[in-house]
Amino acid sequence: MSQENADLKPRWYVVHTYSGYENKVKTDLEKTVKNRELEDFFFEIVVPMEEQIEIKDGKKKTNLKKVFPGYVLVKMIVTEATWYIVRNTRGVTGFVGSGTDPIPLTEAEIRKMGFELPSVTIDYDVGDSVSIIDGSFENFVGTVQEINKDKKKVKVLVSMFGRETPVEVDFSQVQKV
């Protein structure tokens, strides 16, 4: 992995650890990042947990259970140095990826895990009349033709030069009429 192709956008990576070392890896990594002043490259280090309710002898007990035992999720910018630090943290066996290159999680995978990306609620549907309130098509009114939740885009049919033309805009650029 060379410095030139370092991706300077923070992404989520999955780090494989020895089972039972997840919290130790998180703590040690956070210390190392602070000591080496690399806070600009590491954004979040997470051991995903979920509440598990257990009923034993008629008593309800809530436990926190690791969602992915043996894994820690790290939101970071991968460079030669940051990759090396994570790889050499005690308890880490490696990144999940191919060979030496860590592969970031996709937005769909992150969403499936239920964190990070704030969900956008929209109050319009396919077939609804909407007004474009921002961007190059501002003040155009049209009909929603397609909604792409993954990309947070909406395709709107607007009347331009006497014909219906599909334009793609962000969710935030559209308002129901």
Side-chain angles (χ1 to χ4, degrees):
M1 158 178 283
S2 66
Q3 195 68 36
E4 298 84 67
N5 62 13
D7 187 351
L8 294 179
K9 196 170 161 225
R11 296 182 189 279
W12 282 102
Y13 294 90
V14 180
V15 177
H16 193 258
T17 70
Y18 292 124
S19 192
Y21 273 75
E22 303 87 353
N23 291 324
K24 179 114 180 74
V25 164
K26 175 182 168 32
T27 309
D28 290 353
L29 199 47
E30 286 169 343
K31 275 186 204 154
T32 306
V33 167
K34 197 169 172 22
N35 292 344
R36 300 207 182 175
E37 296 177 357
L38 289 168
E39 291 92 346
D40 291 347
F41 293 91
F42 288 88
F43 298 82
E44 275 183 79
I45 301 166
V46 180
V47 178
M49 304 291 262
E50 68 184 356
E51 276 191 0
Q52 191 177 42
I53 295 168
E54 189 182 336
I55 296 175
K56 203 173 185 177
D57 303 328
K59 290 188 176 77
K60 197 164 116 178
K61 191 177 157 194
T62 306
N63 293 323
L64 276 180
K65 179 180 164 258
K66 291 183 185 95
V67 181
F68 308 111
Y71 295 96
V72 175
L73 301 174
V74 182
K75 186 177 187 181
M76 63 185 280
I77 294 171
V78 171
T79 65
E80 195 81 46
T82 60
W83 178 87
Y84 181 84
I85 284 168
V86 174
R87 270 302 275 116
N88 289 287
T89 297
R90 195 179 16 220
V92 169
T93 59
F95 278 97
V96 172
S98 62
T100 58
D101 287 340
I103 296 175
L105 291 171
T106 64
E107 281 197 13
E109 289 168 327
I110 294 165
R111 236 189 316 283
K112 256 186 221 150
M113 286 185 227
F115 61 90
E116 160 99 333
L117 307 170
S119 64
V120 178
T121 51
I122 51 175
D123 64 348
Y124 47 83
D125 220 330
V126 172
D128 285 350
S129 276
V130 292
S131 171
I132 299 176
I133 54 170
D134 186 33
S136 8
F137 301 102
E138 191 173 350
N139 298 327
F140 275 86
V141 173
T143 309
V144 175
Q145 184 183 25
E146 192 181 300
I147 296 172
N148 184 330
K149 290 195 173 177
D150 283 342
K151 290 185 177 170
K152 294 183 181 49
K153 299 269 188 196
V154 59
K155 200 175 277 181
V156 181
L157 276 180
V158 295
S159 183
M160 242 188 286
F161 311 114
R163 62 162 32 134
E164 294 283 288
T165 307
V167 296
E168 194 178 65
V169 292
D170 290 335
F171 281 176
S172 61
Q173 294 176 288
V174 175
Q175 184 178 314
K176 191 172 179 177
V177 178

